Amino acid sequence: MALNVSRETPDLLILDCDGVLIDSETISAAVLVELAAEAGIAFDAAYVREHFLGRSFPTVARIIREQWGRDLPDGFEAAYRQRLLARFETELRPVPGAPEMLARLQVPACIATSSSPPRAARSLAIAGIDRFGLPVFTASEVPRGKPAPDLFLHAARRMGADPARCLVIEDSLPGLTAARAAGMQVLLFAGGSHMAAPCPAPSRR
């Protein structure tokens, strides 16, 4: 499904990472649900997809604090990243067709992700996407993550591209919102396993 895409060849292709290049979202949701339950905070994968997809961890922590009236316990983020990367080592795969698409690219491209730099680097390596040598920009490099436009504008600036001549491929509402706010063309990608079937209504407190 394309949104706001012209027929002209873009000067720069900006790719989200999780759910677009690497099929990580179902693994990430499972780990987050497990650890939150251990901390006494209950939600399911559908809630993760509705509220957390495409957002940085600090934003996820803020949403949990606002909705549950409590902070995540000390060490939660470190434990989440450690458990997640351990699962990635054996379960992570590229999104089907992503390596073939990258091998055929005829325009400059980069990655703009809400993941932390260590997670982005390791997950791209595990999935074999790092071999394409795409520049990677993370939310840690800008004041505001998605849905603010900061990350995409930062990527375009670093790549020397006019935002109006950039095409963003995203799988999340925050990412789509950020791309539009940046004045960029945007395409919704729904090929990740987390998008294979409609989610049921999320559970509520």
Side-chain angles (χ1 to χ4, degrees), residues 57-77:
F57 190 88
T59 301
V60 170
R62 175 181 58 78
I63 293 172
I64 291 174
R65 181 170 60 251
E66 292 172 352
Q67 294 298 313
W68 274 266
R70 54 184 290 192
D71 288 319
L72 292 171
D74 291 342
F76 186 97
E77 182 177 1

Side-chain angles (χ1 to χ4, degrees), residues 5-204:
V5 178
S6 77
R7 294 184 179 181
E8 296 182 6
T9 301
D11 292 341
L12 176 66
L13 182 64
I14 303 179
L15 298 153
D16 180 39
C17 181
D18 294 277
V20 172
L21 296 177
I22 60 172
D23 209 2
S24 58
E25 294 292 6
T26 55
I27 305 171
S28 301
V31 172
L32 184 59
V33 168
E34 290 168 6
L35 274 173
E38 292 171 14
I41 300 172
F43 50 77
D44 59 15
Y47 188 91
V48 172
R49 176 173 163 181
E50 181 180 355
H51 296 279
F52 302 151
L53 186 66
R55 299 183 183 274
S56 65
F57 190 88
T59 301
V60 170
R62 175 181 58 78
I63 293 172
I64 291 174
R65 181 170 60 251
E66 292 172 352
Q67 294 298 313
W68 274 266
R70 54 184 290 192
D71 288 319
L72 292 171
D74 291 342
F76 186 97
E77 182 177 1
Y80 167 73
R81 298 194 186 285
Q82 182 178 22
R83 190 177 298 186
L84 181 62
L85 287 178
R87 291 275 297 268
F88 278 1
E89 291 291 339
T90 58
E91 300 177 31
L92 186 63
R93 301 290 184 272
V95 167
E100 292 79 6
M101 179 272 294
L102 293 175
R104 296 195 303 268
L105 272 183
Q106 299 296 311
V107 298
C110 66
I111 298 169
T113 176
S114 297
S115 292
S116 67
R119 171 180 162 178
R122 185 59 191 148
S123 59
L124 289 168
I126 293 169
I129 301 296
D130 61 337
R131 72 180 187 271
F132 296 101
L134 299 183
V136 179
F137 305 102
T138 71
S140 65
E141 300 172 40
V142 295
R144 302 174 300 169
K146 305 168 188 177
D150 303 29
L151 179 57
F152 290 139
L153 292 173
H154 172 67
R157 184 168 55 251
R158 289 286 302 274
M159 297 294 290
D162 178 356
R165 298 283 303 168
C166 295
L167 172 61
V168 175
I169 300 182
E170 264 283 358
D171 70 316
S172 71
L173 179 58
L176 297 172
T177 302
R180 290 196 190 100
M184 298 178 177
Q185 302 173 66
V186 57
L187 186 146
L188 171 63
F189 177 75
S193 61
H194 63 297
M195 303 288 277
C199 278
S203 61
R204 304 289 185 180

